[in-house]
Structure formats: structure tokens, C-alpha cells
Amino acid sequence: MKLPALVISASLLVAGVIHLLPVMGVLGADQLATLYGLDFSDPSLAILMRHRAVLFGLLGAFLVVAAFRPALQPMAFFAGLVSVFAFLLIAWSTGNYNAAIAAIVTGDVVALVALGIGLTTQASARIRDPSRRT
């Protein structure tokens, strides 16, 4: 595997792992409280957040699979960037979040940088050789 393909795959793996971290929240309110530093004793809120954990699991799994499937990589970059940008925009525009959310913001900044590096590498490789798939 050539260096551009390795960089692209590594960037998707980093973003994928970051998106998989909240999956443990599907196990219940205690795990959600650990993740987010908030009280999830309201069953309705716990349901919504547990479902959110499932969705992050799906996205994280997609990013990891795309790391090894070049045909999926453009859609994976798109989905990952939408997720990260949306969360960061919401967090930064709202502000005043707790330390657990601040850690998630940091993780999403790492994911944003990784996805940016991967996407730039992919675009650069295609400019140099338009027949390349990675």
C-alpha cells in the first residue's frame, strides 16, 4: 500500500474510532453519565441518547470499513465531516459546556484534523494521477 493510501486509511480509522467511543452509551444511563457527565435518569432522555449511541456506532463502523474500501471513502469523508462540523458548530455556538463535553469537542477537533488530512491527501493523489482511485 502506498503512502497516500495509508494516510487516507489512517485518517478514516482515527475518525472511525472517535465515532465508536460513544457506543458504550447504548448500555444504559450509567454509561451515558460516564460519557457526558450528565444525569440521564429521565427515561425519555436515556432512550434518545442510547439511540444516538447506536447511530454513532453505525457511522464509526462505516468510517472504519471505508478505510479499507476506496470506493466508500468519498462518502465516508462527507459523512464524517458533516458529523464533526455539526457537533463543533453546535457546541461552540452554545458554549458553557461541562468538562466531559469539552473532551468530546477535543476529540471531534482531532477527528476534523484527521479527516482534513485524509481528504487533502486523497484530493492531492487524484490531482497528480486522475486515474487513481485513492
Side-chain angles (χ1 to χ4, degrees), residues 70-123:
L72 298 175
Q73 291 172 354
M75 183 57 70
F77 280 117
F78 176 77
L81 287 168
V82 167
S83 173
V84 169
F85 273 125
F87 180 77
L88 290 174
L89 181 63
I90 292 166
W92 289 335
S93 67
T94 302
N96 201 30
Y97 39 79
N98 67 19
I101 302 300
I104 297 167
V105 167
T106 300
D108 272 21
V109 168
V110 170
L112 177 63
V113 170
L115 290 168
I117 290 169
L119 190 58
T120 302
T121 302
Q122 187 179 62

Short mmCIF file of all heavy atoms in Angstrom, two decimals, residues 70-123:
data_model
loop_
_atom_site.label_atom_id
_atom_site.label_comp_id
_atom_site.label_asym_id
_atom_site.label_seq_id
_atom_site.Cartn_x
_atom_site.Cartn_y
_atom_site.Cartn_z
N PRO A 70 -11.71 1.79 -0.89
CA PRO A 70 -11.59 3.09 -1.55
C PRO A 70 -12.88 3.62 -2.18
O PRO A 70 -13.11 4.83 -2.18
CB PRO A 70 -10.51 2.86 -2.61
CG PRO A 70 -9.66 1.77 -2.03
CD PRO A 70 -10.64 0.86 -1.32
N ALA A 71 -13.73 2.75 -2.67
CA ALA A 71 -14.97 3.21 -3.30
C ALA A 71 -15.90 3.90 -2.30
O ALA A 71 -16.70 4.75 -2.68
CB ALA A 71 -15.69 2.04 -3.96
N LEU A 72 -15.78 3.56 -1.03
CA LEU A 72 -16.63 4.16 0.01
C LEU A 72 -16.03 5.44 0.61
O LEU A 72 -16.71 6.16 1.34
CB LEU A 72 -16.87 3.15 1.14
CG LEU A 72 -17.60 1.86 0.76
CD1 LEU A 72 -17.66 0.92 1.96
CD2 LEU A 72 -18.98 2.17 0.23
N GLN A 73 -14.78 5.70 0.33
CA GLN A 73 -14.09 6.79 1.01
C GLN A 73 -14.68 8.18 0.77
O GLN A 73 -14.80 8.95 1.72
CB GLN A 73 -12.59 6.74 0.69
CG GLN A 73 -11.96 5.53 1.35
CD GLN A 73 -10.53 5.28 0.95
OE1 GLN A 73 -9.98 5.94 0.06
NE2 GLN A 73 -9.91 4.31 1.59
N PRO A 74 -15.08 8.55 -0.44
CA PRO A 74 -15.67 9.89 -0.59
C PRO A 74 -16.91 10.08 0.28
O PRO A 74 -17.05 11.12 0.95
CB PRO A 74 -16.02 9.95 -2.08
CG PRO A 74 -15.05 9.03 -2.73
CD PRO A 74 -14.88 7.89 -1.75
N MET A 75 -17.79 9.09 0.33
CA MET A 75 -18.99 9.21 1.16
C MET A 75 -18.62 9.19 2.65
O MET A 75 -19.23 9.89 3.45
CB MET A 75 -19.98 8.08 0.86
CG MET A 75 -21.27 8.19 1.65
SD MET A 75 -22.17 9.74 1.44
CE MET A 75 -22.73 9.57 -0.22
N ALA A 76 -17.60 8.44 3.01
CA ALA A 76 -17.17 8.39 4.41
C ALA A 76 -16.61 9.75 4.84
O ALA A 76 -16.91 10.23 5.95
CB ALA A 76 -16.13 7.29 4.61
N PHE A 77 -15.80 10.35 3.99
CA PHE A 77 -15.29 11.69 4.33
C PHE A 77 -16.45 12.68 4.49
O PHE A 77 -16.48 13.47 5.43
CB PHE A 77 -14.30 12.20 3.27
CG PHE A 77 -12.92 11.63 3.42
CD1 PHE A 77 -12.37 10.84 2.42
CD2 PHE A 77 -12.16 11.87 4.56
CE1 PHE A 77 -11.10 10.31 2.55
CE2 PHE A 77 -10.89 11.34 4.71
CZ PHE A 77 -10.36 10.56 3.69
N PHE A 78 -17.39 12.62 3.59
CA PHE A 78 -18.55 13.51 3.67
C PHE A 78 -19.32 13.29 4.97
O PHE A 78 -19.60 14.25 5.71
CB PHE A 78 -19.47 13.29 2.46
CG PHE A 78 -20.73 14.12 2.51
CD1 PHE A 78 -20.71 15.46 2.20
CD2 PHE A 78 -21.94 13.54 2.89
CE1 PHE A 78 -21.86 16.23 2.27
CE2 PHE A 78 -23.09 14.29 2.95
CZ PHE A 78 -23.06 15.64 2.64
N ALA A 79 -19.65 12.05 5.27
CA ALA A 79 -20.44 11.75 6.48
C ALA A 79 -19.67 12.13 7.75
O ALA A 79 -20.24 12.72 8.68
CB ALA A 79 -20.80 10.26 6.51
N GLY A 80 -18.40 11.80 7.78
CA GLY A 80 -17.59 12.14 8.95
C GLY A 80 -17.47 13.64 9.16
O GLY A 80 -17.60 14.13 10.29
N LEU A 81 -17.23 14.37 8.08
CA LEU A 81 -17.10 15.83 8.19
C LEU A 81 -18.42 16.49 8.59
O LEU A 81 -18.43 17.42 9.40
CB LEU A 81 -16.56 16.41 6.89
CG LEU A 81 -15.08 16.15 6.64
CD1 LEU A 81 -14.70 16.50 5.21
CD2 LEU A 81 -14.21 16.90 7.64
N VAL A 82 -19.54 16.02 8.05
CA VAL A 82 -20.83 16.57 8.45
C VAL A 82 -21.05 16.36 9.94
O VAL A 82 -21.46 17.27 10.67
CB VAL A 82 -21.99 15.96 7.62
CG1 VAL A 82 -23.34 16.29 8.24
CG2 VAL A 82 -21.93 16.45 6.18
N SER A 83 -20.77 15.15 10.42
CA SER A 83 -20.95 14.84 11.84
C SER A 83 -20.09 15.75 12.72
O SER A 83 -20.58 16.35 13.68
CB SER A 83 -20.60 13.37 12.09
OG SER A 83 -20.62 13.09 13.47
N VAL A 84 -18.82 15.83 12.39
CA VAL A 84 -17.89 16.61 13.20
C VAL A 84 -18.21 18.10 13.15
O VAL A 84 -18.27 18.78 14.18
CB VAL A 84 -16.43 16.33 12.74
CG1 VAL A 84 -15.46 17.31 13.35
CG2 VAL A 84 -16.04 14.91 13.08
N PHE A 85 -18.43 18.63 11.95
CA PHE A 85 -18.76 20.06 11.82
C PHE A 85 -20.04 20.39 12.57
O PHE A 85 -20.13 21.42 13.25
CB PHE A 85 -18.91 20.47 10.35
CG PHE A 85 -17.63 20.89 9.69
CD1 PHE A 85 -17.22 20.27 8.52
CD2 PHE A 85 -16.83 21.89 10.21
CE1 PHE A 85 -16.05 20.64 7.89
CE2 PHE A 85 -15.66 22.27 9.59
CZ PHE A 85 -15.26 21.64 8.43
N ALA A 86 -21.05 19.55 12.45
CA ALA A 86 -22.32 19.82 13.12
C ALA A 86 -22.14 19.88 14.63
O ALA A 86 -22.62 20.81 15.30
CB ALA A 86 -23.37 18.77 12.75
N PHE A 87 -21.45 18.89 15.19
CA PHE A 87 -21.25 18.89 16.64
C PHE A 87 -20.44 20.10 17.09
O PHE A 87 -20.80 20.77 18.07
CB PHE A 87 -20.57 17.60 17.11
CG PHE A 87 -20.37 17.59 18.59
CD1 PHE A 87 -21.43 17.33 19.45
CD2 PHE A 87 -19.14 17.90 19.14
CE1 PHE A 87 -21.25 17.37 20.83
CE2 PHE A 87 -18.95 17.94 20.51
CZ PHE A 87 -20.01 17.67 21.36
N LEU A 88 -19.34 20.37 16.39
CA LEU A 88 -18.50 21.50 16.80
C LEU A 88 -19.24 22.83 16.68
O LEU A 88 -19.14 23.69 17.57
CB LEU A 88 -17.21 21.53 15.97
CG LEU A 88 -16.22 20.40 16.26
CD1 LEU A 88 -15.06 20.45 15.28
CD2 LEU A 88 -15.74 20.44 17.71
N LEU A 89 -20.01 23.00 15.63
CA LEU A 89 -20.79 24.22 15.46
C LEU A 89 -21.80 24.38 16.60
O LEU A 89 -21.93 25.46 17.19
CB LEU A 89 -21.49 24.22 14.11
CG LEU A 89 -22.33 25.46 13.79
CD1 LEU A 89 -21.44 26.70 13.71
CD2 LEU A 89 -23.08 25.27 12.49
N ILE A 90 -22.50 23.29 16.91
CA ILE A 90 -23.49 23.35 18.00
C ILE A 90 -22.80 23.62 19.33
O ILE A 90 -23.25 24.48 20.11
CB ILE A 90 -24.30 22.04 18.05
CG1 ILE A 90 -25.20 21.94 16.82
CG2 ILE A 90 -25.13 21.95 19.34
CD1 ILE A 90 -25.80 20.56 16.60
N ALA A 91 -21.71 22.92 19.61
CA ALA A 91 -21.02 23.10 20.89
C ALA A 91 -20.46 24.51 21.02
O ALA A 91 -20.65 25.17 22.05
CB ALA A 91 -19.90 22.07 21.03
N TRP A 92 -19.77 24.98 19.99
CA TRP A 92 -19.16 26.30 20.08
C TRP A 92 -20.20 27.42 20.10
O TRP A 92 -20.01 28.44 20.75
CB TRP A 92 -18.15 26.51 18.96
CG TRP A 92 -16.90 25.68 19.13
CD1 TRP A 92 -16.39 25.19 20.30
CD2 TRP A 92 -16.02 25.23 18.11
NE1 TRP A 92 -15.24 24.48 20.07
CE2 TRP A 92 -14.98 24.48 18.73
CE3 TRP A 92 -16.00 25.38 16.73
CZ2 TRP A 92 -13.94 23.91 18.02
CZ3 TRP A 92 -14.95 24.81 16.03
CH2 TRP A 92 -13.93 24.08 16.67
N SER A 93 -21.30 27.25 19.39
CA SER A 93 -22.32 28.31 19.39
C SER A 93 -23.12 28.32 20.68
O SER A 93 -23.65 29.37 21.07
CB SER A 93 -23.25 28.17 18.18
OG SER A 93 -24.04 27.00 18.28
N THR A 94 -23.19 27.17 21.35
CA THR A 94 -23.91 27.10 22.62
C THR A 94 -23.02 27.51 23.79
O THR A 94 -23.40 28.30 24.64
CB THR A 94 -24.47 25.68 22.85
OG1 THR A 94 -25.30 25.33 21.77
CG2 THR A 94 -25.23 25.59 24.17
N GLY A 95 -21.81 26.94 23.83
CA GLY A 95 -20.85 27.26 24.88
C GLY A 95 -21.28 26.76 26.25
O GLY A 95 -22.28 26.07 26.40
N ASN A 96 -20.47 27.10 27.25
CA ASN A 96 -20.77 26.81 28.65
C ASN A 96 -21.03 25.32 28.90
O ASN A 96 -21.90 24.96 29.69
CB ASN A 96 -21.96 27.65 29.13
CG ASN A 96 -21.96 27.76 30.64
OD1 ASN A 96 -20.91 27.72 31.27
ND2 ASN A 96 -23.14 27.88 31.21
N TYR A 97 -20.28 24.44 28.23
CA TYR A 97 -20.46 23.01 28.43
C TYR A 97 -19.51 22.50 29.49
O TYR A 97 -18.54 23.15 29.86
CB TYR A 97 -20.28 22.24 27.11
CG TYR A 97 -19.18 22.73 26.21
CD1 TYR A 97 -17.85 22.41 26.45
CD2 TYR A 97 -19.47 23.52 25.11
CE1 TYR A 97 -16.85 22.86 25.62
CE2 TYR A 97 -18.48 23.97 24.26
CZ TYR A 97 -17.17 23.64 24.52
OH TYR A 97 -16.17 24.07 23.69
N ASN A 98 -19.82 21.29 29.99
CA ASN A 98 -19.04 20.71 31.08
C ASN A 98 -17.73 20.09 30.56
O ASN A 98 -17.47 20.06 29.35
CB ASN A 98 -19.88 19.69 31.87
CG ASN A 98 -20.23 18.45 31.06
OD1 ASN A 98 -19.62 18.13 30.06
ND2 ASN A 98 -21.26 17.74 31.52
N ALA A 99 -16.93 19.57 31.48
CA ALA A 99 -15.63 19.01 31.13
C ALA A 99 -15.75 17.78 30.22
O ALA A 99 -14.91 17.56 29.33
CB ALA A 99 -14.85 18.66 32.39
N ALA A 100 -16.78 16.97 30.43
CA ALA A 100 -16.97 15.78 29.59
C ALA A 100 -17.26 16.18 28.15
O ALA A 100 -16.73 15.59 27.20
CB ALA A 100 -18.08 14.90 30.15
N ILE A 101 -18.09 17.20 27.98
CA ILE A 101 -18.40 17.68 26.62
C ILE A 101 -17.16 18.34 26.02
O ILE A 101 -16.89 18.19 24.82
CB ILE A 101 -19.62 18.63 26.62
CG1 ILE A 101 -20.85 17.94 27.20
CG2 ILE A 101 -19.88 19.18 25.22
CD1 ILE A 101 -21.30 16.69 26.47
N ALA A 102 -16.38 19.04 26.85
CA ALA A 102 -15.14 19.64 26.36
C ALA A 102 -14.19 18.58 25.81
O ALA A 102 -13.52 18.79 24.80
CB ALA A 102 -14.46 20.45 27.46
N ALA A 103 -14.16 17.41 26.46
CA ALA A 103 -13.33 16.31 25.97
C ALA A 103 -13.84 15.81 24.63
O ALA A 103 -13.05 15.47 23.73
CB ALA A 103 -13.30 15.17 26.99
N ILE A 104 -15.15 15.79 24.45
CA ILE A 104 -15.73 15.37 23.18
C ILE A 104 -15.41 16.40 22.10
O ILE A 104 -15.10 16.03 20.96
CB ILE A 104 -17.26 15.15 23.31
CG1 ILE A 104 -17.52 14.01 24.28
CG2 ILE A 104 -17.89 14.88 21.95
CD1 ILE A 104 -18.96 13.90 24.73
N VAL A 105 -15.46 17.67 22.44
CA VAL A 105 -15.09 18.72 21.50
C VAL A 105 -13.64 18.50 21.04
O VAL A 105 -13.34 18.54 19.84
CB VAL A 105 -15.27 20.13 22.12
CG1 VAL A 105 -14.59 21.20 21.28
CG2 VAL A 105 -16.76 20.44 22.30
N THR A 106 -12.76 18.22 21.99
CA THR A 106 -11.36 17.96 21.65
C THR A 106 -11.24 16.75 20.72
O THR A 106 -10.51 16.79 19.72
CB THR A 106 -10.53 17.74 22.92
OG1 THR A 106 -10.61 18.91 23.72
CG2 THR A 106 -9.08 17.43 22.59
N GLY A 107 -11.98 15.69 21.03
CA GLY A 107 -11.96 14.50 20.17
C GLY A 107 -12.45 14.81 18.77
O GLY A 107 -11.89 14.32 17.77
N ASP A 108 -13.48 15.64 18.67
CA ASP A 108 -14.00 15.99 17.35
C ASP A 108 -13.05 16.90 16.59
O ASP A 108 -12.99 16.84 15.36
CB ASP A 108 -15.40 16.61 17.46
CG ASP A 108 -16.49 15.54 17.43
OD1 ASP A 108 -16.19 14.37 17.73
OD2 ASP A 108 -17.63 15.88 17.11
N VAL A 109 -12.29 17.72 17.30
CA VAL A 109 -11.25 18.52 16.62
C VAL A 109 -10.18 17.58 16.06
O VAL A 109 -9.72 17.77 14.93
CB VAL A 109 -10.66 19.58 17.57
CG1 VAL A 109 -9.40 20.21 16.98
CG2 VAL A 109 -11.69 20.65 17.90
N VAL A 110 -9.81 16.57 16.83
CA VAL A 110 -8.84 15.57 16.34
C VAL A 110 -9.40 14.87 15.10
O VAL A 110 -8.70 14.69 14.10
CB VAL A 110 -8.48 14.56 17.45
CG1 VAL A 110 -7.67 13.40 16.89
CG2 VAL A 110 -7.72 15.26 18.58
N ALA A 111 -10.68 14.47 15.16
CA ALA A 111 -11.32 13.82 14.01
C ALA A 111 -11.34 14.76 12.81
O ALA A 111 -11.10 14.33 11.67
CB ALA A 111 -12.74 13.37 14.37
N LEU A 112 -11.63 16.04 13.04
CA LEU A 112 -11.67 17.02 11.96
C LEU A 112 -10.29 17.14 11.29
O LEU A 112 -10.19 17.14 10.06
CB LEU A 112 -12.13 18.38 12.50
CG LEU A 112 -12.16 19.53 11.51
CD1 LEU A 112 -13.16 19.26 10.39
CD2 LEU A 112 -12.50 20.83 12.23
N VAL A 113 -9.26 17.22 12.10
CA VAL A 113 -7.90 17.32 11.56
C VAL A 113 -7.56 16.05 10.77
O VAL A 113 -7.04 16.12 9.65
CB VAL A 113 -6.87 17.58 12.68
CG1 VAL A 113 -5.44 17.43 12.17
CG2 VAL A 113 -7.08 18.97 13.28
N ALA A 114 -7.88 14.89 11.34
CA ALA A 114 -7.59 13.63 10.65
C ALA A 114 -8.33 13.55 9.32
O ALA A 114 -7.74 13.20 8.29
CB ALA A 114 -7.97 12.44 11.54
N LEU A 115 -9.62 13.87 9.34
CA LEU A 115 -10.39 13.83 8.10
C LEU A 115 -9.88 14.85 7.09
O LEU A 115 -9.85 14.58 5.89
CB LEU A 115 -11.88 14.05 8.39
CG LEU A 115 -12.57 12.90 9.12
CD1 LEU A 115 -13.94 13.34 9.62
CD2 LEU A 115 -12.68 11.67 8.23
N GLY A 116 -9.48 16.02 7.57
CA GLY A 116 -8.92 17.04 6.68
C GLY A 116 -7.64 16.56 6.02
O GLY A 116 -7.44 16.76 4.81
N ILE A 117 -6.77 15.92 6.79
CA ILE A 117 -5.53 15.39 6.23
C ILE A 117 -5.83 14.30 5.21
O ILE A 117 -5.27 14.28 4.11
CB ILE A 117 -4.61 14.85 7.36
CG1 ILE A 117 -4.07 16.02 8.18
CG2 ILE A 117 -3.48 13.99 6.80
CD1 ILE A 117 -3.38 15.60 9.47
N GLY A 118 -6.74 13.41 5.55
CA GLY A 118 -7.09 12.32 4.63
C GLY A 118 -7.72 12.82 3.35
O GLY A 118 -7.36 12.37 2.25
N LEU A 119 -8.64 13.75 3.48
CA LEU A 119 -9.31 14.29 2.30
C LEU A 119 -8.34 15.07 1.42
O LEU A 119 -8.36 14.95 0.19
CB LEU A 119 -10.49 15.17 2.72
CG LEU A 119 -11.44 15.63 1.63
CD1 LEU A 119 -12.05 14.44 0.91
CD2 LEU A 119 -12.54 16.49 2.22
N THR A 120 -7.46 15.84 2.03
CA THR A 120 -6.45 16.58 1.28
C THR A 120 -5.49 15.62 0.56
O THR A 120 -5.14 15.84 -0.60
CB THR A 120 -5.66 17.52 2.21
OG1 THR A 120 -6.57 18.41 2.84
CG2 THR A 120 -4.59 18.30 1.47
N THR A 121 -5.11 14.57 1.25
CA THR A 121 -4.23 13.56 0.64
C THR A 121 -4.92 12.89 -0.54
O THR A 121 -4.31 12.70 -1.60
CB THR A 121 -3.82 12.51 1.69
OG1 THR A 121 -3.16 13.17 2.77
CG2 THR A 121 -2.90 11.45 1.09
N GLN A 122 -6.20 12.55 -0.36
CA GLN A 122 -6.96 11.92 -1.45
C GLN A 122 -7.08 12.86 -2.65
O GLN A 122 -6.85 12.46 -3.79
CB GLN A 122 -8.34 11.52 -0.95
CG GLN A 122 -9.13 10.72 -1.97
CD GLN A 122 -10.47 10.31 -1.42
OE1 GLN A 122 -11.29 11.18 -1.11
NE2 GLN A 122 -10.69 9.01 -1.30
N ALA A 123 -7.41 14.11 -2.40
CA ALA A 123 -7.55 15.08 -3.49
C ALA A 123 -6.21 15.29 -4.19
O ALA A 123 -6.14 15.35 -5.43
CB ALA A 123 -8.09 16.40 -2.96
#
